[in-house]
Amino acid sequence: MNIEEVREYCIAKKAVTESFPFNETTLVFKVMNKIFCLLSLDDIRISLRNDAEKNIELRAHYPAIIPGYHLNKQLWNTIELNGTVPTKLLCELIDESYEIILKSLPKKLQEEYKNS
C-alpha cells in the first residue's frame, strides 16, 4: 500500500476524521475523536494500535514492523510502507486498530457511533 491507498482505506471507515494536529507531515486518523492511525508522509510509514502479544509476533516476522515511534512500544507498531508487509495484512492491522479504539470508547460514544 502507498500513502494514498492507506489514506483512502482509513477515511472510508465509519465516523473517521483526518487532521494534522502535530505537524504538517503526520496525518492522523481518528474515530470518534480517538487516534487509531498515524500516517507519516515524510518517512512513508504508519503507526497502528494492536494487542501487545500480537505485536511481538508481528515484529519477529516482519523487519518493517517496529515498536511504535514516539508511542507506547507495547501497544503500538510503526510499519514502513516499503512493500514487504502484504497489503492484506496492512488492511487487517488497520481494521484491528480501528476496532480496538472503538471498544475503548465510553459507552455513550459507542452508542453515538452506532446511531451515526
Side-chain angles (χ1 to χ4, degrees):
M1 290 181 93
N2 62 34
I3 288 173
E4 191 54 36
E5 289 169 329
V6 169
R7 182 190 168 275
E8 289 174 10
Y9 191 81
C10 289
I11 202 70
K13 294 187 163 304
K14 182 177 177 180
V16 170
T17 58
E18 62 181 336
S19 63
F20 289 94
F22 306 120
N23 57 44
E24 298 171 354
T25 60
T26 305
L27 182 56
V28 174
F29 297 94
K30 297 178 180 180
V31 57
M32 303 301 291
N33 212 29
K34 285 198 73 171
I35 296 171
F36 75 94
C37 178
L38 296 99
L39 175 59
S40 173
L41 305 179
D42 276 351
D43 303 333
I44 309 174
R45 60 187 182 183
I46 61 173
S47 294
L48 301 166
R49 173 99 186 253
N50 211 308
D51 173 71
E53 289 182 27
K54 183 172 185 172
N55 285 342
I56 293 168
E57 184 180 319
L58 289 166
R59 294 170 193 163
H61 284 88
Y62 298 97
I65 300 178
I66 60 173
Y69 182 70
H70 287 303
L71 298 162
N72 180 315
K73 307 273 186 250
Q74 290 181 319
L75 301 176
W76 288 81
N77 282 326
T78 295
I79 306 164
E80 294 177 45
L81 298 177
N82 60 11
T84 61
V85 178
T87 298
K88 182 180 178 190
L89 178 58
L90 282 172
C91 290
E92 289 172 7
L93 295 174
I94 292 169
D95 293 345
E96 288 174 16
S97 184
Y98 178 85
E99 290 298 324
I100 287 169
I101 298 305
L102 268 181
K103 289 177 184 173
S104 74
L105 294 172
K107 290 194 185 302
K108 181 180 177 182
L109 285 179
Q110 288 183 22
E111 284 300 315
E112 190 177 316
Y113 170 85
K114 288 177 187 174
N115 295 326
S116 66

